[in-house]
Amino acid sequence: MPRNGDASTRDIGEFEERGTRLPFHRDDGLARDAVNTVPDVSVIVVTHDSAPVVPFSVSSALAQTGVATELIVVDTGSVDSSREIIVNAGGQVLEDPWKNDFAAARNVGLERATGDWILVLDPDEMVTPAACADIRACVENMEAGAARVLMRNYMPHGHRRDSYLLRMFRNAPNIRFEYAIHETVARP
């Protein structure tokens, strides 16, 4: 796996957490062209009782134009409508009881992912329109191996915190998440 700063790792546009909310919608024009088509990007989200926020994450992930997207949600025991929201959006829901380990839950999604690329989101994160273009450019770049995303967190009183996180990488069987919390695929 490339380390941050390697030539095969690039930075892509901003993502928002708890930012401006987009209305939930599904654009059927973004669906895969044929049943046997391999998606460009598998979006993996781990959720647990996330119904209030997951529609925004899902709609922003599926709004990537020019990129065939597969949505995989690992649900760790929701009792709200999270699973129904994902299914209605066209996503796959994988049931995996919570084991106090975020890496294990993300790896369940990686096992099922069929896309050439993996994009990992939390249920309260959204892909901005600017990031969609960067994702498409990354997918089209045959030399890229991974991408860090700018995660923009809006704080109380108008403050924000920006950080770059390794959240997009090529799908490979030897790439798996480590650490129960603050999980990562990057090696220090």
Side-chain angles (χ1 to χ4, degrees), residues 24 79-90 93:
F24 178 63
V79 295
D80 67 2
S81 60
S82 295
R83 289 187 295 260
E84 292 79 19
I85 291 168
I86 302 307
V87 170
N88 290 337
V93 177

Side-chain angles (χ1 to χ4, degrees), residues 51 65 96 133 139 172:
T65 57
D96 187 52
V139 166

Side-chain angles (χ1 to χ4, degrees), residues 1-2 8-9 117 138 141-147 168-170 175:
M1 184 74 219
S8 61
T9 303
W117 284 84
C138 192
N141 182 345
M142 297 306 291
E143 295 180 13
M168 188 170 167
F169 48 89
R170 289 200 181 271
I175 300 175

Side-chain angles (χ1 to χ4, degrees), residues 80-182:
D80 67 2
S81 60
S82 295
R83 289 187 295 260
E84 292 79 19
I85 291 168
I86 302 307
V87 170
N88 290 337
Q92 302 174 49
V93 177
L94 307 177
E95 304 287 337
D96 187 52
W98 181 238
K99 301 174 188 84
N100 294 321
D101 187 334
F102 286 100
R106 290 194 195 274
N107 288 336
V108 167
L110 286 177
E111 292 295 326
R112 184 69 66 90
T114 62
D116 293 328
W117 284 84
I118 303 294
L119 174 62
V120 178
L121 296 176
D122 287 344
D124 63 347
E125 296 171 344
M126 296 182 306
V127 182
T128 64
C132 290
D134 289 339
I135 290 169
R136 185 174 51 256
C138 192
V139 166
E140 293 170 357
N141 182 345
M142 297 306 291
E143 295 180 13
R148 297 183 312 157
V149 301
L150 171 59
M151 187 62 61
R152 178 158 285 156
N153 293 297
Y154 292 95
M155 312 298 279
H157 310 297
H159 296 101
R160 75 174 197 221
R161 180 178 19 187
D162 293 349
S163 56
Y164 281 95
L165 304 173
L166 182 60
R167 291 288 193 87
M168 188 170 167
F169 48 89
R170 289 200 181 271
N171 190 358
N174 62 328
I175 300 175
R176 292 298 179 258
F177 283 91
E178 299 177 333
Y179 312 118
I181 59 170
H182 303 295

